[in-house]
Structure formats: C-alpha cells, structure tokens
Amino acid sequence: MEDLERDLLKFKGFYFQHKAFDTGFLENLDDFEIRDDDVFIVTYPKSGTIWCQQILSLIYFREHRKRTENVETSYRVPFLEYCSRHIDFGKTPSPRLFVTHLPYYLVPRGLKDKKAKIIYVYRNPKDVMCSYFHYLNTYPIFKAADSIEAFMKQYLEGKVLGSLWFDHIRGWYKHRNYFNIQFMMYEEMKKDLRSSVLKLSKFLSKDLSEETMDDVVRQASFENMKDDPLANNENMLYRHVGSKLQEGHFLRKGTIGDWKNHMTVEQNERFDMIFQKQMKDFPLQFIWDVNKTQN
C-alpha cells in the first residue's frame, strides 16, 4: 500500500498520478481558456470514464461512427490534466471535448461562466472500489494492495488517484449551481443506454437522427467497446503504463453489483456504515444491484 502511495503526488489537496503529472500546466489551469462550446466529462476513476469518452466521440464525430478514421477515443476526448504534454489544446478545433477526474475547485474558472457543458457521471462506490482494485492489480507498475481489505482501507482514506470518492461527488454536487452541469448515473446508463444517450444529446443540443442514435447505442455497448481497439483504451495504457500482468481486457465486466463477488458481509456492513455517515441527506440516488431500483 505504501508503494502505491509513492506513485501518487498530492497537489492542492488532490492525488494525481506522479509520472503523468505536469505541475506547470496545473499551476496555471485556473486561467485555462474555456470556449463556449467546450464539453467536459467529469468522473471519479472507474466510474465509466472510457465509456463516456466513446459515447461523446460517437455523438460528435461522424467519422468515428462510420469508422472512416483510425483515431482512438483517448485522443478525440483527451484527459485535461494528463495530456497537456502531447496536445496543444489552444490549437484544437472546436468543439473541444475533454475528460477529467478533477475536483470542482481545480477546474478552470472559465467553466463557471455556465456556457461550456459538464457531464458528471457517478457510479455506486462499492463497484467503483472493486473495479479500481482489479485495475491496479492488472498493471505491475502500480504495486497495488494484494487484498480487497487492504485496498478498501486505502480507498476509504482517499489515498488513491482521485482522492476520496465521497469528497469528489459531494463537492461537485454542492457546487453544481456554479456550472452548466448534467449528472448521469452509470447504472441508469447500463440499464437503458438509449434513453441515456437521448438525455445526453438533449443536454448537448445535438439533434440525433434515428439512424445516428442506433449507431451510437450499438457501438457504445460494453461488448462492442471491449473488442474495439479505438475505444477500449488498451493501446493508450500500453504506451503510458506498460504491459499487463495477465491476458484479458482492460474493460473487465462493467456490471452492476459485482462488489458482492468481492466483499465479505463484514466488509459490506462496515462500508455501509461509513457511506451512511458520509452521505447523510445527499439527494442523488444509487443503484447497488442490477435487479434493484434506486435507493
């Protein structure tokens, strides 16, 4: 666990990946020029980030839907905080699409003009934790905790990339009126992708034809993404993180309720107590099981 913490760098109260960290860019991020038609996906890690990159790429880029260009979604919708060394954002044509794990207080102040749009995607924190645990143990560079118990302690202390899940979602929701923001639940997207794409397209003022909607929904399905080298993020991770410990896909399951296969009854009860304390009176709903509704 200490090895994993050494791979992180805390900047203004938030944990970043040390090797990909560009201090100069982040020191001046508050002044980053925002365009009115910019779109930002905001997520806590392992909350559907790659999936949303693919959905936006399919909505905005006809050449991506029609497979006429060989461009990965990680370049079409780059990470704001981790791609500044490789992409000149000032020269990127509009509309620019970004993805970020940043907390509300570190994003450029121009986002508070409420013209650029933010899509905040959230997922139930038990599935986030278990997905995070598998991800870190897939790549040897991360030297992750060797048990879910050890990682749960680290996760609940916020000593991971993205810091504390509770702080991230509460911060963005509490300050939502400062931004032009749409909250999307990962589990609702899984249950009804078509309705979720329609909701997103309306928020983005993108009038999609039935044919385009069909293409977006089909290509954004988990199974299609998993085998798509332009969308599954494996090439980017290989370039920047290194090879995996085992065979298989970076996109592992993407299911709802997989936490039940990893957490003991005691761990689940302990997690629930912390969740209830941290999220008391929090208005957004969560789905914990694929067969259950919100609670």
Side-chain angles (χ1 to χ4, degrees):
M1 189 164 70
E2 291 179 357
D3 287 337
L4 179 56
E5 288 183 43
R6 282 198 291 267
D7 289 333
L8 302 173
L9 183 64
K10 200 169 191 178
F11 177 82
K12 296 186 178 180
F14 190 77
Y15 278 116
F16 291 86
Q17 185 180 337
H18 192 285
K19 293 184 178 180
F21 188 74
D22 185 341
T23 305
F25 179 75
L26 287 169
E27 286 282 6
N28 296 291
L29 189 55
D30 196 45
D31 297 322
F32 182 82
E33 185 176 356
I34 297 295
R35 301 175 189 168
D36 291 352
D37 55 358
D38 285 344
V39 178
F40 286 77
I41 300 167
V42 178
T43 63
Y44 185 86
K46 310 310 296 177
S47 300
T49 311
I50 309 304
W51 189 23
C52 292
Q53 285 176 289
Q54 171 72 339
I55 292 171
L56 253 65
S57 295
L58 292 166
I59 289 175
Y60 274 86
F61 300 108
R62 184 178 185 277
E63 56 271 31
H64 190 67
R65 291 195 304 273
K66 300 300 182 182
R67 313 292 291 183
T68 58
E69 283 187 357
N70 189 35
V71 180
E72 295 173 29
T73 56
S74 57
Y75 287 104
R76 293 192 186 280
V77 191
F79 257 96
L80 177 66
E81 62 265 38
Y82 292 119
C83 288
S84 59
R85 296 173 180 171
H86 313 290
I87 301 174
D88 186 342
F89 294 135
K91 295 181 179 179
T92 302
S94 294
R96 298 182 303 183
L97 310 178
F98 298 99
V99 65
T100 181
H101 293 321
L102 290 173
Y104 76 93
Y105 63 86
L106 286 182
V107 297
R109 66 171 178 269
L111 279 172
K112 293 182 179 179
D113 290 340
K114 296 187 178 182
K115 294 178 181 177
K117 296 179 179 180
I118 298 173
I119 302 162
Y120 187 99
V121 182
Y122 68 98
R123 185 184 187 185
N124 89 66
K126 294 177 186 177
D127 279 336
V128 169
M129 180 183 73
C130 293
S131 178
Y132 213 152
F133 173 72
H134 277 282
Y135 166 65
L136 294 174
N137 278 284
T138 298
Y139 293 89
I141 188 175
F142 292 122
K143 307 179 185 67
D146 58 3
S147 70
I148 196 70
E149 174 65 27
F151 183 69
M152 181 171 160
K153 181 178 186 298
Q154 190 168 349
Y155 174 76
L156 291 175
E157 290 175 352
K159 295 179 178 178
V160 292
L161 172 67
S163 296
L164 188 63
W165 179 90
F166 300 107
D167 288 347
H168 198 277
I169 189 170
R170 285 184 317 198
W172 272 105
Y173 189 81
K174 181 179 179 180
H175 296 86
R176 65 193 182 281
N177 292 329
Y178 290 97
F179 305 100
N180 183 7
I181 189 168
Q182 173 71 58
F183 286 85
M184 301 288 294
M185 185 198 296
Y186 175 94
E187 290 80 7
E188 285 188 337
M189 294 170 66
K190 288 290 295 184
K191 283 175 170 286
D192 190 348
L193 180 56
R194 190 179 190 87
S195 293
S196 296
V197 172
L198 180 61
K199 183 177 181 178
L200 280 174
S201 63
K202 287 182 177 179
F203 174 66
L204 298 169
S205 301
K206 300 290 287 185
D207 187 15
L208 304 183
S209 67
E210 284 298 312
E211 180 185 1
T212 298
M213 178 68 72
D214 290 342
D215 287 342
V216 172
V217 173
R218 183 182 68 256
Q219 294 184 57
S221 72
F222 186 82
E223 288 306 318
N224 282 339
M225 275 189 60
K226 195 171 183 179
D227 295 319
D228 184 351
L230 297 181
N232 62 24
N233 214 42
E234 292 189 5
N235 290 332
M236 189 278 291
L237 285 167
Y238 180 80
R239 290 192 299 268
H240 298 288
V241 176
S243 59
K244 294 178 289 187
L245 283 169
Q246 66 266 357
E247 292 299 318
H249 294 280
F250 163 69
L251 297 175
R252 194 174 58 93
K253 289 186 177 180
T255 55
I256 302 170
D258 191 45
W259 59 268
K260 292 182 290 185
N261 298 317
H262 300 90
M263 298 175 70
T264 66
V265 172
E266 188 278 331
Q267 288 169 343
N268 182 49
E269 290 176 348
R270 186 164 16 117
F271 195 107
D272 282 345
M273 288 180 62
I274 295 169
F275 181 88
Q276 294 301 326
K277 181 179 179 180
Q278 292 276 357
M279 304 298 283
K280 183 180 180 181
D281 299 324
F282 188 73
L284 292 182
Q285 300 296 300
F286 296 88
I287 293 176
W288 306 92
D289 186 288
V290 68
N291 296 315
K292 294 182 180 179
T293 55
Q294 301 178 17
N295 64 355

